[in-house]
Amino acid sequence: MIKRLLALLLLAAIGSVFAVLLLGYTPDAELNLTARYYAERTAADIGAANIVTAIVVTYRGLDTLGEVTVLFLSATIVGLVLAQGSGPGRSPSVRTPVGELLGTGARVLAPLILLLGVYVFVNGHLTPGGGFQGGAIVASGMLLLLLADPLRQFSHGLISTIESVAGIAYVAIGVLGLVLAGGFLDNRILPLGTLGELASAGAIPLIYSLIGLKVGAEFSSMLASLSETEEL
Amino acid sequence: MALVAMATGFVLILIGFYGALTNRNLLRMIVAFTIADTGVNIVIVAIGYMHGRTAPILDATISAREAVARIIDPVPQALVLTAIVIGLGVTALMLAYAYKLFEKKRTLDIARFAELKW
């Protein structure tokens, strides 16, 4: 009980800090300096209709490379941690077959979900979406396949090939930006095109598609590692 | 409107902390952490909200010239995009470690893991 009381006291302290923050908050009426720069310059400099994408992929592209690296590391560590111990002795346990609805539904829906994921990451510079969201949708298609057939084995070789090729191509495009345009991950190595068209915003559709493939492969490998661990 | 969203975010953070501090089951603690994580994301997005403005995407109705007066702050949204992805990576790691701990001790009760207790 004393522990619960201490927890409540701590929460009351944090809550009062939050209350002060909340009561003292006044929303901005104008964009601040950074946001104003992005709002004014994105259309001319980057050519992307979605300003958030312009920030994530080009203005702060280096941070996104770091983010993808963190995601790669966590996928690798999940694979490493879960692979230990599950030696060759594991035998596929016999399970009851999944329902007709799930089995048929997965066969119908999985290709459509993959298509939606690809649509979302290819149109990342035009619509609310992008590589991370598209990659998550692709992985949710994989999750549906795993739910419909829990014993399904995804090819780890294929997943890691897609992932490493996408990662290397991402860094290579970044270095090309250094050579051909203004700096690392500069999107102006390709023509900017007309604002709002699919083939616009220079290298952003290319970079975001690679990020989408990489993120989808990483999430899928996490799902595969989690599903292949031995039943306890 | 922004205040409602922000208050919801703060409340979610507090619920998450409460769950993480009082639950002894590792899985429940992980769920509590993801709730607090969501609360933080909601607060950051609510900071970027500005009344009467629209999403930072240029199209036929918002030309590049009037963007400064019409869109909300895009920077918090870019930050939250990063935070969601990192949060997912952290959650996956926590689940993997919880699995290993269960494999070792056959329990998820945090009180049974006393090796680092002082």
Side-chain angles (χ1 to χ4, degrees):
Chain A
M1 269 302 96
I2 187 90
K3 269 190 180 168
R4 185 157 296 219
L5 197 67
L6 279 177
L8 282 175
L9 274 179
L10 184 65
L11 286 183
I14 300 174
S16 55
V17 172
F18 285 168
V20 171
L21 285 177
L22 189 66
L23 294 175
Y25 175 74
T26 43
D28 290 343
E30 288 286 304
L31 290 181
N32 59 42
L33 209 58
T34 319
R36 174 178 283 270
Y37 178 88
Y38 290 142
E40 277 172 352
R41 306 290 290 275
T42 294
D45 287 357
I46 311 289
N50 185 341
I51 296 177
V52 178
T53 298
I55 296 175
V56 167
V57 180
T58 303
Y59 285 121
R60 309 299 314 163
L62 193 62
D63 299 339
T64 305
L65 184 60
E67 182 186 357
V68 171
T69 313
V70 169
L71 201 60
F72 165 70
L73 279 178
S74 72
T76 315
I77 295 173
V78 167
L80 185 73
V81 166
L82 292 181
Q84 283 171 359
S86 53
R90 71 184 278 248
S91 56
S93 50
V94 184
R95 300 181 201 218
T96 50
V98 296
E100 184 66 33
L101 272 181
L102 185 56
T104 315
R107 276 202 298 279
V108 175
L109 284 178
L112 294 178
I113 293 176
L114 292 186
L115 192 65
L116 175 69
V118 172
Y119 173 84
V120 166
F121 65 63
V122 169
N123 284 287
H125 56 306
L126 304 176
T127 57
F132 296 100
Q133 298 90 323
I137 295 173
V138 168
S140 74
M142 295 297 181
L143 178 62
L144 185 62
L145 288 178
L146 274 177
L147 285 177
D149 179 9
L151 296 180
R152 177 189 291 270
Q153 298 273 341
F154 286 124
S155 157
H156 280 282
L158 180 65
I159 290 178
S160 59
T161 309
I162 291 176
E163 212 231 295
S164 19
V165 168
I168 291 169
Y170 181 22
V171 177
I173 288 177
V175 174
L176 271 183
L178 206 58
V179 177
L180 300 175
F184 189 65
L185 282 172
D186 195 331
N187 70 327
R188 284 169 295 188
I189 54 174
L190 295 172
L192 288 186
T194 326
L195 185 76
E197 281 180 12
L198 181 60
S200 68
I204 286 185
L206 204 57
I207 294 176
Y208 237 6
S209 302
L210 290 172
I211 293 179
L213 284 177
K214 190 164 163 59
V215 169
E218 277 156 2
F219 285 179
S220 303
S221 91
M222 280 188 205
L223 289 172
S225 320
L226 282 169
S227 101
E228 280 168 18
T229 45
E230 219 170 337
E231 290 280 318
L232 290 170
Chain B
M1 187 57 215
L3 282 185
V4 174
M6 204 179 282
T8 313
F10 281 138
V11 170
L12 279 177
I13 297 175
L14 289 178
I15 292 175
F17 281 171
Y18 178 77
L21 286 171
T22 54
N23 277 306
R24 319 188 86 182
N25 185 306
L26 280 175
L27 286 182
R28 286 171 180 239
M29 292 170 82
I30 294 171
V31 172
F33 272 116
T34 58
I35 291 173
D37 197 30
T38 312
V40 174
N41 291 340
I42 292 176
V43 170
I44 299 178
V45 169
I47 290 173
Y49 179 78
M50 295 154 95
H51 187 70
R53 293 180 178 230
T54 183
I57 296 176
L58 309 172
D59 59 8
T61 52
I62 305 172
S63 66
R65 250 180 295 110
E66 52 179 15
V68 174
R70 298 274 317 269
I71 63 165
I72 61 170
D73 193 345
V75 180
Q77 304 199 0
L79 290 177
V80 167
L81 180 57
T82 310
I84 291 174
V85 176
I86 301 302
L88 186 130
V90 172
T91 308
L93 277 184
M94 286 197 286
L95 284 174
Y97 289 137
Y99 176 86
K100 286 313 266 191
L101 288 175
F102 181 79
E103 202 178 52
K104 206 167 171 78
K105 294 244 176 162
R106 318 300 293 180
T107 176
L108 283 170
D109 186 356
I110 191 76
R112 300 279 299 281
F113 299 98
E115 286 88 351
L116 289 177
K117 213 172 174 180
W118 71 86

